[in-house]
Amino acid sequence: MTSGQRLVLASVCAVAVSTIYAIQPVLAAAGSDLGLAGKTLGWLVAVGQLGYFAGLVLLVPLGDVLDRRTLIVGHLVLTGAGAAITSLAPGGLIAGAGLAVAGLFAVVVQITVAYVAATSPAGERGRNIGTVTSGVVLGILGVRVLAGALGDSLGWRSVYAVLAALCLALALIARLTLHPDTRPARARYRDVLATAGRLVVTDRLFLGRGLIAFFLFASFGTLWSGLALPLGAAPWHFGTTAVGLFGLAGLVGAVAAARAGIWADAGRAQAVTGWSLALLAVSWTLTAQTAPTLWPLITGVVLLDFAVQAVHVSNQHLLTAAHPEHSSSVIGAYMAFYSLGSALGAVTTAWAYAAAGWWASCLLGAAYAGAALAVWVRARRAAVASPARCPA
C-alpha cells in the first residue's frame, strides 16, 4: 500500500466520521435556526449515533460479502447525501433524517479499516491501520475546530455543505486510486451476521477487547462530551470557537499515537494496551484541573487522546490478525462496543457535572479507565492460565 493510498483512506475516515460529530459544536445555533426547543436538541446528536449503530450491525458485515472498494465509494456518496440533506433542511425533522442517513453510512470508516487490514502485508498491517485510524480521531476532534470556525462565520449549515462536498470528492478519488478488494471466495451475508453474533459469546479475545473498547470510549466520551461545560463557565466563559480549539490538543496526542501500529507489528500490542490504559487513568488527574491555569488540562487532553488511540489501534490489530477472513464483521461488532461506550460517557458526564461539577465528571472518566484496565489484567491472567485457548 502506497503512502498516497494511506492518505486517501485516512481522509475517508476523517471526513466520514466528521458528519456524526459536527453537530455538537453548533448544536445551539442549529436548534435555534430549525425552531427546536432546548430539551429536544439532544435528538440531533442522538439520531446520528443511532444511525451509526444500525450501520455497524447491518452494513459493515457487507465488507465480507462484497468488494470493499465499491462499498467505500458507494457509502461515501450516501454519507455526502445525508450531509447535504442536513445542510438544506427546512426543519428539525428533515435535519434529523439527514443526520441519521449520514450516520448510517458513515460506517464506511470500519469498511475502510477492514480494507486496509485485508490488503496489507502482515508486517505492515499495524502501521497501516494506525495511520488510517488516526484519520478517525482527526475527524472527531478536528471537526470541532472546523465547525466552530465555520459556524461563527458562515452559519451552521455551511459545515454540512462542506462535508457533503468532501464526501463526493473523496468518493471519486477512492474510485481512481484504490485497488479492487479481490478474494477467491466470499461469504454469505447471513453467515457473516451469524459469525459476528458468535464472536460475542464464544471468542475470549474478542469479548475482552470489546469490553476494553466499551470502557475506553466511555472515558473518551466523558471528556469530549463534557469539556464545554467547565470551559463555558466561570472563570473562562469560552465561546464555541475557543472550546473547539481544544480539539487541537487532542489531535497532538492522537497523531503521536500513530506509532502504536508499529509497536503492534513488533508484537507489543498487549503491553501497549496495559501501560496506555494506566496512562489514561492518570491523565484524568490533570484534566480535572481547570484553574488558575489551563495548562494541566491541556496536558491531560494530550495524554488522554494518545492513550485512547494507542489502545484502539492495538485492539483492531489483534482482532483483524486473529480473524483475517472476517475482518469487516469483526471490526463492525467491535465498534458496536465503541458506539455504546461513547453514548454512555456522553450521558453520564452531563449527569455527573450537574450533580457535583467537573471534578465528578473527571472521577467518572478515571473510573471508566480503571474498569478497562481491570478487564485487560483479567484477560492477561486468563491467557497465562490457558494459553492454548486464548489467542495472544
Side-chain angles (χ1 to χ4, degrees):
M1 181 174 293
T2 67
S3 59
Q5 290 172 326
R6 286 195 294 269
L7 178 61
V8 170
L9 292 166
S11 299
V12 168
C13 291
V15 172
V17 79
S18 293
T19 62
I20 303 173
Y21 292 94
I23 194 64
Q24 293 180 352
V26 296
L27 188 60
S32 177
D33 182 39
L34 296 169
L36 296 175
K39 63 182 180 180
T40 63
L41 287 181
W43 282 105
L44 288 180
V45 179
V47 292
Q49 294 287 353
L50 291 173
Y52 189 69
F53 182 82
L56 289 172
V57 175
L58 300 175
L59 298 182
V60 172
L62 287 173
D64 291 332
V65 180
L66 304 174
D67 176 24
R68 293 189 183 101
R69 184 185 70 168
T70 300
L71 288 174
I72 290 171
V73 173
H75 284 189
L76 276 173
V77 171
L78 293 169
T79 303
I85 291 171
T86 304
S87 71
L88 299 172
L93 185 61
I94 302 301
L99 290 168
V101 171
L104 179 67
F105 292 102
V107 294
V108 65
V109 171
Q110 278 63 58
I111 294 173
T112 299
V113 174
Y115 174 89
V116 172
T119 58
S120 297
E124 299 178 8
R125 182 181 292 116
R127 183 186 70 171
N128 290 342
I129 289 177
T131 300
V132 172
T133 306
S134 66
V136 178
V137 182
L138 178 67
I140 293 174
L141 302 178
V143 76
R144 299 174 187 276
V145 181
L146 173 67
L150 287 178
D152 282 343
S153 58
L154 300 176
W156 74 273
R157 294 177 184 271
S158 66
V159 179
Y160 282 93
V162 169
L163 290 175
L166 289 174
C167 283
L168 296 178
L170 281 172
L172 177 60
I173 294 171
R175 181 66 180 82
L176 295 175
T177 59
L178 300 182
H179 300 302
D181 178 23
T182 56
R183 279 163 282 172
R186 301 183 190 274
R188 292 187 301 176
Y189 181 66
R190 181 180 61 186
D191 294 338
V192 170
L193 290 179
T195 297
R198 284 194 298 270
L199 283 172
V200 179
V201 179
T202 63
D203 192 288
R204 185 182 298 173
L205 173 66
F206 174 83
L207 183 58
R209 289 288 154 171
L211 288 174
I212 288 173
F214 176 79
F215 291 116
L216 178 76
F217 284 99
S219 188
F220 182 82
T222 297
L223 173 70
W224 289 108
S225 296
L227 186 59
L229 299 174
L231 293 179
W236 304 109
H237 300 291
F238 287 156
T240 299
T241 301
V243 172
L245 289 175
F246 277 79
L248 296 176
L251 288 177
V252 171
V255 171
R259 189 170 180 81
I262 299 176
W263 295 332
D265 286 333
R268 297 198 290 270
Q270 289 283 8
V272 169
T273 301
W275 63 254
S276 294
L277 289 173
L279 179 63
L280 175 63
V282 170
S283 72
W284 281 104
T285 63
L286 297 171
T287 306
Q289 302 178 44
T290 58
T293 174
L294 289 174
W295 283 113
L297 169 64
I298 293 171
T299 304
V301 169
V302 172
L303 295 178
L304 182 144
D305 281 275
F306 174 90
V308 168
Q309 179 68 354
V311 176
H312 189 41
V313 170
S314 299
N315 284 351
Q316 292 180 97
H317 179 275
L318 288 171
L319 291 174
T320 55
H323 302 280
E325 71 283 4
H326 299 297
S327 56
S328 286
S329 54
V330 168
I331 289 176
Y334 163 78
M335 290 300 293
F337 286 91
Y338 151 92
S339 181
L340 294 174
S342 297
L344 175 65
V347 172
T348 54
T349 189
W351 169 81
Y353 185 85
W358 181 237
W359 73 268
S361 292
C362 293
L363 183 61
L364 185 67
Y368 288 140
L373 183 59
V375 172
W376 176 81
V377 169
R378 180 167 182 174
R380 289 291 288 166
R381 288 176 177 173
V384 172
S386 55
R389 296 179 57 193
C390 185

PDB file of all heavy atoms in Angstrom, residues 21 28 45 51 69 87 91 107-108 111 135 137 158 215 230 235 241 254 280 293 334 351 363 373 379:
ATOM      1  N   TYR A  21     -20.114  13.953  14.269  1.00  0.00           N
ATOM      2  CA  TYR A  21     -19.749  14.793  15.407  1.00  0.00           C
ATOM      3  C   TYR A  21     -19.814  16.289  15.108  1.00  0.00           C
ATOM      4  O   TYR A  21     -19.689  17.096  16.036  1.00  0.00           O
ATOM      5  CB  TYR A  21     -18.344  14.424  15.880  1.00  0.00           C
ATOM      6  CG  TYR A  21     -18.283  13.047  16.490  1.00  0.00           C
ATOM      7  CD1 TYR A  21     -17.929  11.940  15.726  1.00  0.00           C
ATOM      8  CD2 TYR A  21     -18.599  12.847  17.828  1.00  0.00           C
ATOM      9  CE1 TYR A  21     -17.892  10.672  16.272  1.00  0.00           C
ATOM     10  CE2 TYR A  21     -18.564  11.584  18.391  1.00  0.00           C
ATOM     11  CZ  TYR A  21     -18.203  10.495  17.610  1.00  0.00           C
ATOM     12  OH  TYR A  21     -18.187   9.247  18.159  1.00  0.00           O
ATOM     13  N   ALA A  28     -26.469  24.540  19.471  1.00  0.00           N
ATOM     14  CA  ALA A  28     -27.381  25.617  19.868  1.00  0.00           C
ATOM     15  C   ALA A  28     -27.825  26.431  18.664  1.00  0.00           C
ATOM     16  O   ALA A  28     -29.011  26.761  18.516  1.00  0.00           O
ATOM     17  CB  ALA A  28     -26.702  26.518  20.900  1.00  0.00           C
ATOM     18  N   VAL A  45     -28.120  15.053  18.081  1.00  0.00           N
ATOM     19  CA  VAL A  45     -26.916  14.252  18.296  1.00  0.00           C
ATOM     20  C   VAL A  45     -27.258  12.761  18.279  1.00  0.00           C
ATOM     21  O   VAL A  45     -26.553  11.950  17.677  1.00  0.00           O
ATOM     22  CB  VAL A  45     -26.250  14.629  19.633  1.00  0.00           C
ATOM     23  CG1 VAL A  45     -25.013  13.771  19.868  1.00  0.00           C
ATOM     24  CG2 VAL A  45     -25.887  16.109  19.647  1.00  0.00           C
ATOM     25  N   GLY A  51     -28.134   5.994  13.901  1.00  0.00           N
ATOM     26  CA  GLY A  51     -27.883   5.561  12.531  1.00  0.00           C
ATOM     27  C   GLY A  51     -26.555   4.837  12.414  1.00  0.00           C
ATOM     28  O   GLY A  51     -26.441   3.815  11.725  1.00  0.00           O
ATOM     29  N   ARG A  69     -13.820  -1.897  -1.978  1.00  0.00           N
ATOM     30  CA  ARG A  69     -13.610  -0.616  -2.675  1.00  0.00           C
ATOM     31  C   ARG A  69     -14.929  -0.063  -3.171  1.00  0.00           C
ATOM     32  O   ARG A  69     -15.212   1.133  -3.053  1.00  0.00           O
ATOM     33  CB  ARG A  69     -12.640  -0.780  -3.845  1.00  0.00           C
ATOM     34  CG  ARG A  69     -12.331   0.560  -4.530  1.00  0.00           C
ATOM     35  CD  ARG A  69     -11.469   0.411  -5.745  1.00  0.00           C
ATOM     36  NE  ARG A  69     -12.164  -0.239  -6.856  1.00  0.00           N
ATOM     37  CZ  ARG A  69     -11.710  -0.289  -8.107  1.00  0.00           C
ATOM     38  NH1 ARG A  69     -10.526   0.252  -8.395  1.00  0.00           N
ATOM     39  NH2 ARG A  69     -12.389  -0.896  -9.060  1.00  0.00           N
ATOM     40  N   SER A  87     -27.809  20.077   5.490  1.00  0.00           N
ATOM     41  CA  SER A  87     -27.471  21.480   5.227  1.00  0.00           C
ATOM     42  C   SER A  87     -28.635  22.253   4.612  1.00  0.00           C
ATOM     43  O   SER A  87     -28.715  23.474   4.747  1.00  0.00           O
ATOM     44  CB  SER A  87     -26.259  21.567   4.297  1.00  0.00           C
ATOM     45  OG  SER A  87     -26.589  21.157   2.976  1.00  0.00           O
ATOM     46  N   GLY A  91     -36.509  22.153   8.461  1.00  0.00           N
ATOM     47  CA  GLY A  91     -36.949  21.986   9.842  1.00  0.00           C
ATOM     48  C   GLY A  91     -36.222  20.850  10.526  1.00  0.00           C
ATOM     49  O   GLY A  91     -35.399  20.149   9.915  1.00  0.00           O
ATOM     50  N   VAL A 107     -20.370   4.432   8.573  1.00  0.00           N
ATOM     51  CA  VAL A 107     -19.644   3.204   8.915  1.00  0.00           C
ATOM     52  C   VAL A 107     -18.694   2.792   7.795  1.00  0.00           C
ATOM     53  O   VAL A 107     -18.015   1.763   7.904  1.00  0.00           O
ATOM     54  CB  VAL A 107     -20.614   2.048   9.247  1.00  0.00           C
ATOM     55  CG1 VAL A 107     -21.403   2.350  10.507  1.00  0.00           C
ATOM     56  CG2 VAL A 107     -21.551   1.765   8.080  1.00  0.00           C
ATOM     57  N   VAL A 108     -18.629   3.592   6.736  1.00  0.00           N
ATOM     58  CA  VAL A 108     -17.574   3.412   5.737  1.00  0.00           C
ATOM     59  C   VAL A 108     -16.209   3.434   6.425  1.00  0.00           C
ATOM     60  O   VAL A 108     -15.235   2.868   5.913  1.00  0.00           O
ATOM     61  CB  VAL A 108     -17.661   4.508   4.646  1.00  0.00           C
ATOM     62  CG1 VAL A 108     -17.375   5.884   5.218  1.00  0.00           C
ATOM     63  CG2 VAL A 108     -16.706   4.213   3.496  1.00  0.00           C
ATOM     64  N   ILE A 111     -15.420  -0.157   7.230  1.00  0.00           N
ATOM     65  CA  ILE A 111     -15.140  -0.885   5.993  1.00  0.00           C
ATOM     66  C   ILE A 111     -13.754  -0.509   5.476  1.00  0.00           C
ATOM     67  O   ILE A 111     -13.018  -1.352   4.950  1.00  0.00           O
ATOM     68  CB  ILE A 111     -16.233  -0.591   4.954  1.00  0.00           C
ATOM     69  CG1 ILE A 111     -17.569  -1.165   5.442  1.00  0.00           C
ATOM     70  CG2 ILE A 111     -15.868  -1.170   3.595  1.00  0.00           C
ATOM     71  CD1 ILE A 111     -18.749  -0.803   4.579  1.00  0.00           C
ATOM     72  N   GLY A 135      -6.950   8.971  11.134  1.00  0.00           N
ATOM     73  CA  GLY A 135      -7.919   9.836  10.454  1.00  0.00           C
ATOM     74  C   GLY A 135      -9.243   9.906  11.201  1.00  0.00           C
ATOM     75  O   GLY A 135      -9.934  10.929  11.150  1.00  0.00           O
ATOM     76  N   VAL A 137      -9.697   9.834  14.545  1.00  0.00           N
ATOM     77  CA  VAL A 137      -9.549  10.797  15.634  1.00  0.00           C
ATOM     78  C   VAL A 137      -9.383  12.207  15.077  1.00  0.00           C
ATOM     79  O   VAL A 137      -9.876  13.173  15.657  1.00  0.00           O
ATOM     80  CB  VAL A 137      -8.355  10.405  16.528  1.00  0.00           C
ATOM     81  CG1 VAL A 137      -8.214  11.369  17.692  1.00  0.00           C
ATOM     82  CG2 VAL A 137      -8.532   8.989  17.034  1.00  0.00           C
ATOM     83  N   SER A 158     -23.259  25.676   6.714  1.00  0.00           N
ATOM     84  CA  SER A 158     -22.057  25.611   5.877  1.00  0.00           C
ATOM     85  C   SER A 158     -21.169  24.431   6.261  1.00  0.00           C
ATOM     86  O   SER A 158     -20.441  23.890   5.417  1.00  0.00           O
ATOM     87  CB  SER A 158     -21.270  26.915   5.998  1.00  0.00           C
ATOM     88  OG  SER A 158     -20.752  27.086   7.316  1.00  0.00           O
ATOM     89  N   PHE A 215     -15.296   0.549  27.782  1.00  0.00           N
ATOM     90  CA  PHE A 215     -14.893   1.440  28.871  1.00  0.00           C
ATOM     91  C   PHE A 215     -13.925   2.519  28.376  1.00  0.00           C
ATOM     92  O   PHE A 215     -13.938   3.653  28.874  1.00  0.00           O
ATOM     93  CB  PHE A 215     -14.262   0.638  30.005  1.00  0.00           C
ATOM     94  CG  PHE A 215     -15.239  -0.226  30.741  1.00  0.00           C
ATOM     95  CD1 PHE A 215     -15.131  -1.602  30.727  1.00  0.00           C
ATOM     96  CD2 PHE A 215     -16.294   0.341  31.445  1.00  0.00           C
ATOM     97  CE1 PHE A 215     -16.034  -2.406  31.411  1.00  0.00           C
ATOM     98  CE2 PHE A 215     -17.213  -0.451  32.126  1.00  0.00           C
ATOM     99  CZ  PHE A 215     -17.087  -1.822  32.109  1.00  0.00           C
ATOM    100  N   PRO A 230     -17.274  23.043  31.760  1.00  0.00           N
ATOM    101  CA  PRO A 230     -16.426  23.882  32.616  1.00  0.00           C
ATOM    102  C   PRO A 230     -15.777  25.041  31.869  1.00  0.00           C
ATOM    103  O   PRO A 230     -15.539  26.104  32.456  1.00  0.00           O
ATOM    104  CB  PRO A 230     -15.378  22.902  33.150  1.00  0.00           C
ATOM    105  CG  PRO A 230     -15.306  21.831  32.115  1.00  0.00           C
ATOM    106  CD  PRO A 230     -16.716  21.682  31.611  1.00  0.00           C
ATOM    107  N   PRO A 235     -14.095  30.485  35.530  1.00  0.00           N
ATOM    108  CA  PRO A 235     -13.765  31.875  35.199  1.00  0.00           C
ATOM    109  C   PRO A 235     -13.493  32.128  33.724  1.00  0.00           C
ATOM    110  O   PRO A 235     -13.095  33.231  33.344  1.00  0.00           O
ATOM    111  CB  PRO A 235     -12.472  32.081  35.999  1.00  0.00           C
ATOM    112  CG  PRO A 235     -11.807  30.730  35.929  1.00  0.00           C
ATOM    113  CD  PRO A 235     -12.920  29.716  35.980  1.00  0.00           C
ATOM    114  N   THR A 241     -16.049  28.752  19.368  1.00  0.00           N
ATOM    115  CA  THR A 241     -14.785  28.678  18.639  1.00  0.00           C
ATOM    116  C   THR A 241     -13.632  28.362  19.573  1.00  0.00           C
ATOM    117  O   THR A 241     -12.781  27.511  19.262  1.00  0.00           O
ATOM    118  CB  THR A 241     -14.515  30.006  17.917  1.00  0.00           C
ATOM    119  OG1 THR A 241     -15.582  30.280  17.009  1.00  0.00           O
ATOM    120  CG2 THR A 241     -13.214  29.930  17.126  1.00  0.00           C
ATOM    121  N   ALA A 254      -3.368  12.195  19.578  1.00  0.00           N
ATOM    122  CA  ALA A 254      -3.825  11.130  18.686  1.00  0.00           C
ATOM    123  C   ALA A 254      -2.820  10.856  17.581  1.00  0.00           C
ATOM    124  O   ALA A 254      -2.541   9.700  17.240  1.00  0.00           O
ATOM    125  CB  ALA A 254      -5.172  11.507  18.089  1.00  0.00           C
ATOM    126  N   LEU A 280      -4.103   6.535  30.687  1.00  0.00           N
ATOM    127  CA  LEU A 280      -5.431   7.125  30.562  1.00  0.00           C
ATOM    128  C   LEU A 280      -6.006   7.481  31.927  1.00  0.00           C
ATOM    129  O   LEU A 280      -6.542   8.582  32.119  1.00  0.00           O
ATOM    130  CB  LEU A 280      -6.355   6.138  29.841  1.00  0.00           C
ATOM    131  CG  LEU A 280      -7.829   6.524  29.720  1.00  0.00           C
ATOM    132  CD1 LEU A 280      -7.993   7.796  28.899  1.00  0.00           C
ATOM    133  CD2 LEU A 280      -8.630   5.385  29.090  1.00  0.00           C
ATOM    134  N   THR A 293      -4.784  28.008  35.883  1.00  0.00           N
ATOM    135  CA  THR A 293      -4.287  27.960  34.514  1.00  0.00           C
ATOM    136  C   THR A 293      -4.827  26.712  33.836  1.00  0.00           C
ATOM    137  O   THR A 293      -5.179  25.728  34.502  1.00  0.00           O
ATOM    138  CB  THR A 293      -2.748  27.949  34.481  1.00  0.00           C
ATOM    139  OG1 THR A 293      -2.302  27.751  33.129  1.00  0.00           O
ATOM    140  CG2 THR A 293      -2.199  26.825  35.343  1.00  0.00           C
ATOM    141  N   TYR A 334     -16.910  -5.091  16.914  1.00  0.00           N
ATOM    142  CA  TYR A 334     -16.054  -4.408  17.897  1.00  0.00           C
ATOM    143  C   TYR A 334     -16.477  -2.943  18.060  1.00  0.00           C
ATOM    144  O   TYR A 334     -16.562  -2.431  19.181  1.00  0.00           O
ATOM    145  CB  TYR A 334     -14.604  -4.498  17.439  1.00  0.00           C
ATOM    146  CG  TYR A 334     -13.665  -3.520  18.111  1.00  0.00           C
ATOM    147  CD1 TYR A 334     -13.189  -3.751  19.395  1.00  0.00           C
ATOM    148  CD2 TYR A 334     -13.258  -2.361  17.449  1.00  0.00           C
ATOM    149  CE1 TYR A 334     -12.332  -2.856  20.014  1.00  0.00           C
ATOM    150  CE2 TYR A 334     -12.398  -1.465  18.056  1.00  0.00           C
ATOM    151  CZ  TYR A 334     -11.935  -1.711  19.340  1.00  0.00           C
ATOM    152  OH  TYR A 334     -11.095  -0.812  19.951  1.00  0.00           O
ATOM    153  N   TRP A 351     -24.649  14.196  33.601  1.00  0.00           N
ATOM    154  CA  TRP A 351     -25.277  13.916  34.902  1.00  0.00           C
ATOM    155  C   TRP A 351     -24.317  14.224  36.046  1.00  0.00           C
ATOM    156  O   TRP A 351     -24.679  14.867  37.036  1.00  0.00           O
ATOM    157  CB  TRP A 351     -25.705  12.456  34.948  1.00  0.00           C
ATOM    158  CG  TRP A 351     -26.123  12.015  36.315  1.00  0.00           C
ATOM    159  CD1 TRP A 351     -27.324  12.209  36.926  1.00  0.00           C
ATOM    160  CD2 TRP A 351     -25.306  11.310  37.265  1.00  0.00           C
ATOM    161  NE1 TRP A 351     -27.321  11.665  38.187  1.00  0.00           N
ATOM    162  CE2 TRP A 351     -26.094  11.109  38.424  1.00  0.00           C
ATOM    163  CE3 TRP A 351     -23.994  10.826  37.235  1.00  0.00           C
ATOM    164  CZ2 TRP A 351     -25.598  10.451  39.540  1.00  0.00           C
ATOM    165  CZ3 TRP A 351     -23.496  10.170  38.351  1.00  0.00           C
ATOM    166  CH2 TRP A 351     -24.305   9.987  39.485  1.00  0.00           C
ATOM    167  N   LEU A 363     -13.694  12.199  37.814  1.00  0.00           N
ATOM    168  CA  LEU A 363     -13.657  10.974  38.616  1.00  0.00           C
ATOM    169  C   LEU A 363     -14.346   9.833  37.873  1.00  0.00           C
ATOM    170  O   LEU A 363     -13.881   8.680  37.874  1.00  0.00           O
ATOM    171  CB  LEU A 363     -14.327  11.219  39.959  1.00  0.00           C
ATOM    172  CG  LEU A 363     -14.307  10.054  40.964  1.00  0.00           C
ATOM    173  CD1 LEU A 363     -12.871   9.687  41.330  1.00  0.00           C
ATOM    174  CD2 LEU A 363     -15.097  10.416  42.213  1.00  0.00           C
ATOM    175  N   LEU A 373      -8.774  -1.097  32.415  1.00  0.00           N
ATOM    176  CA  LEU A 373      -7.505  -1.697  32.855  1.00  0.00           C
ATOM    177  C   LEU A 373      -7.762  -3.012  33.594  1.00  0.00           C
ATOM    178  O   LEU A 373      -7.012  -3.985  33.420  1.00  0.00           O
ATOM    179  CB  LEU A 373      -6.765  -0.711  33.757  1.00  0.00           C
ATOM    180  CG  LEU A 373      -5.381  -1.134  34.248  1.00  0.00           C
ATOM    181  CD1 LEU A 373      -4.448  -1.400  33.069  1.00  0.00           C
ATOM    182  CD2 LEU A 373      -4.786  -0.057  35.153  1.00  0.00           C
ATOM    183  N   ALA A 379      -7.891 -10.461  31.480  1.00  0.00           N
ATOM    184  CA  ALA A 379      -7.662 -11.194  30.236  1.00  0.00           C
ATOM    185  C   ALA A 379      -6.238 -11.722  30.157  1.00  0.00           C
ATOM    186  O   ALA A 379      -6.000 -12.841  29.685  1.00  0.00           O
ATOM    187  CB  ALA A 379      -7.962 -10.290  29.040  1.00  0.00           C
TER     188      ALA A 379
END
